[in-house]
Amino acid sequence: MESIQTIGVVGAGTMGHGIAQVAAQSGYEVVLVDAVPEALARGREQIGKGLERLVSKGKLAAEDRDRALSRLSTGDDLSALARADLVVEAVVEKLEVKEKVLAELDRICPPPAILASNTSSISITRLAGATARPEKVIGMHFMNPVPVMQLVEVIRGLATSQETYDAVEAASRRMGKTP
């Protein structure tokens, strides 16, 4: 049984706010974090617009839009993710930046939390080395635009556990994605 209830997303840019929107629409509590207040405000605005577009096209009920928005909270510091069960980092595609974020998340998040990277090209094994929980680190590469594209690439590192893989695969499916 999937134990993921709260999903954290680091980075409110195009990929991050798309991941946050899809997760909130799927019934997860979502915490979207970005250190840049303007980016966070813009990301939240884009989520609202994306949900509104679905309502106007008849693909989402207004009540479901309101419920999704009520499940979304934001923060400007990684400490807002201290209770997340799964955190997806969607920061700039630079090894040093991703390693720094993952190392900080490793210190902040509870031991059972899964740390995922939306990387398209960086080794998950290498990223997992920035943490003390390599068995809980996985790639979760969403395709752009996240609310539209069905595929999510789930990538194991050398130490990624089967339990971690299974939980991320189940979360992907709950978000309406094909892992």
Side-chain angles (χ1 to χ4, degrees), residues 3-64:
S3 60
I4 296 170
Q5 305 298 320
T6 301
I7 295 180
V9 181
V10 181
T14 300
M15 296 306 290
H17 79 253
I19 295 165
Q21 176 184 325
V22 168
Q25 272 180 256
S26 303
Y28 290 106
E29 292 296 320
V30 178
V31 182
L32 178 61
V33 172
D34 200 301
V36 180
E38 298 79 16
L40 198 55
R42 198 167 39 252
R44 186 163 182 110
E45 180 184 338
Q46 290 302 316
I47 291 168
K49 285 180 179 177
L51 292 170
E52 193 52 50
R53 224 177 353 264
L54 292 172
V55 171
S56 70
K57 290 180 177 180
K59 294 182 177 184
L60 185 69
E63 305 79 49
D64 293 331

Side-chain angles (χ1 to χ4, degrees), residues 138-162:
I138 194 163
M140 200 173 185
H141 179 219
F142 290 83
M143 305 298 144
N144 188 24
V146 178
V148 176
M149 301 299 284
Q150 291 304 300
L151 291 180
V152 62
E153 183 182 20
V154 180
I155 312 130
R156 298 173 192 253
L158 287 175
T160 305
S161 71
Q162 186 63 43

Side-chain angles (χ1 to χ4, degrees), residues 71-132:
R71 287 189 285 269
L72 176 67
S73 62
T74 57
D76 60 4
D77 187 82
L78 292 178
S79 62
L81 302 171
R83 291 198 307 252
D85 302 306
L86 166 65
V87 178
V88 182
E89 69 75 13
V91 299
V92 65
E93 192 75 359
K94 290 188 176 168
L95 176 64
E96 313 75 43
V97 177
K98 289 185 180 290
E99 284 177 328
K100 184 178 178 203
V101 168
L102 288 167
E104 185 70 15
L105 289 170
D106 188 41
R107 285 190 292 280
I108 291 168
C109 296
I114 295 169
L115 305 179
S117 176
N118 186 52
T119 186
S120 59
S121 62
I122 299 172
S123 160
I124 299 304
T125 301
R126 178 111 186 240
L127 291 172
T131 76

